[in-house]
Amino acid sequence: MGDKYTRFAPLYDLLSGEYPIYHAGRVLGVTALGPRQDQQVLDIGCGTGLNFALLQERIGTGGTIVGIDRSAQMLRQARRRAIARRWDNVILVQADMVLEEPAALSGRIAAAGGTELSDAALATYSLSLMGDWKRAWETTTSLLGTDGRIGVVDMQDPQGWARWLAPLARLACALGGSDIHAAPWRAVEEECADVIRTSARAGHLQIRAGKTVPGRTM
Ligand SMILES: C[S@@+](CC[C@H](N)C(=O)[O-])C[C@H]1O[C@@H](n2cnc3c(N)ncnc32)[C@H](O)[C@@H]1O
């Protein structure tokens, strides 16, 4: 999985089906997450930084985006994007969200200029690639402060009239290395309060966001 994103990082934006399919999910995800001016937002498995523009509109120049990804090549694309757009409030951290110890990761974020705890976290099309995504979820929630918000955007088989497209969706997910049956948004439903639920592209894209509740676990 990591190798795939290493080799194809420069082509990711072109080949990932951003328009007309996946962009809709990130717009709904950022809206549901609702980050506010001056907040620090984690972008989990940020890839090339396709969420950054939408997040910047919400947090402004006083806020901070912390993009975390295990692929140095994807982060290189994200850095290029930030430099081209003159976003000097973007911190990029190379880390494996399944393997990295939460305390070590928050220390690395602080060392890079952020604060140890963030206000919100967003994971778009990334948890379903991570294998033990529950571990990545736990690490993410432990990096949030009180009343932190978290949003998940991920994929499943298309529903209803579009069910005939399921083989195509499964192929696209398999090529991207993600498990279409992972359904990581369940964690938001089971652990968060005030959950917002939306979907797009005939249910292929599932969007959830909510407020973390201390002590509530899956
Ligand atoms: C399909 S891409 C999505 C990128 C971005 N979130 C987006 O919406 O375009 C998945 C990303 O997750 C990253 N990734 C996969 N497993 C990871 C892990 N265990 N820890 C951190 N990043 C991971 C990959 O390197 C890749 O950049």
Side-chain angles (χ1 to χ4, degrees):
M1 285 186 289
D3 288 343
K4 192 167 292 182
Y5 287 94
T6 293
R7 275 184 275 130
F8 292 112
L11 298 174
Y12 177 79
D13 292 2
L14 204 62
L15 300 180
S16 61
E18 180 68 3
Y19 298 100
I21 301 177
Y22 295 105
H23 186 72
R26 65 180 87 254
V27 171
L28 290 169
V30 171
T31 302
L33 182 68
R36 296 196 305 274
Q37 283 284 313
D38 302 337
Q39 289 193 328
Q40 177 168 296
V41 183
L42 304 173
D43 190 340
I44 304 297
C46 66
T48 62
L50 286 171
N51 291 328
F52 291 177
L54 294 165
L55 292 173
Q56 293 284 11
E57 283 173 18
R58 300 270 176 160
I59 64 171
T61 51
T64 305
I65 295 172
V66 181
I68 303 173
D69 203 287
R70 74 176 177 186
S71 160
Q73 285 71 16
M74 292 296 266
L75 288 174
R76 187 174 304 149
Q77 300 302 317
R79 186 166 296 109
R80 281 194 183 145
R81 185 187 304 279
I83 290 169
R85 299 290 296 268
R86 297 176 195 272
W87 291 325
D88 55 13
N89 60 345
V90 175
I91 293 171
L92 298 173
V93 178
Q94 185 179 4
D96 188 314
M97 289 299 297
V98 176
L99 303 177
E100 184 96 11
E101 284 301 321
L105 187 50
S106 65
R108 290 178 62 200
I109 293 168
T115 54
E116 287 197 351
L117 294 179
S118 295
D119 302 294
L122 180 65
T124 58
Y125 316 117
S126 57
L127 289 179
S128 62
L129 262 106
M130 292 189 188
D132 188 1
W133 63 264
K134 288 183 184 169
R135 183 78 198 273
W137 166 269
E138 283 165 16
T139 299
T140 303
T141 56
S142 71
L143 295 173
L144 295 177
T146 315
D147 290 336
R149 290 185 61 76
I150 185 161
V152 173
V153 179
D154 230 302
M155 300 157 287
Q156 67 172 11
D157 281 346
Q159 310 287 298
W161 65 267
R163 281 172 70 169
W164 66 276
L165 290 168
L168 198 62
R170 289 180 188 182
L171 178 67
C173 287
L175 288 174
S178 59
D179 174 6
I180 199 168
H181 302 297
W185 54 84
R186 280 181 290 139
V188 180
E189 296 184 336
E190 291 174 30
E191 287 195 24
C192 294
D194 306 330
V195 175
I196 296 171
R197 300 174 179 80
T198 51
S199 67
R201 300 297 178 261
H204 177 47
L205 311 182
Q206 292 292 315
I207 297 102
R208 303 288 186 282
K211 191 172 73 174
T212 53
V213 180
R216 201 188 280 183
T217 53
M218 285 184 80

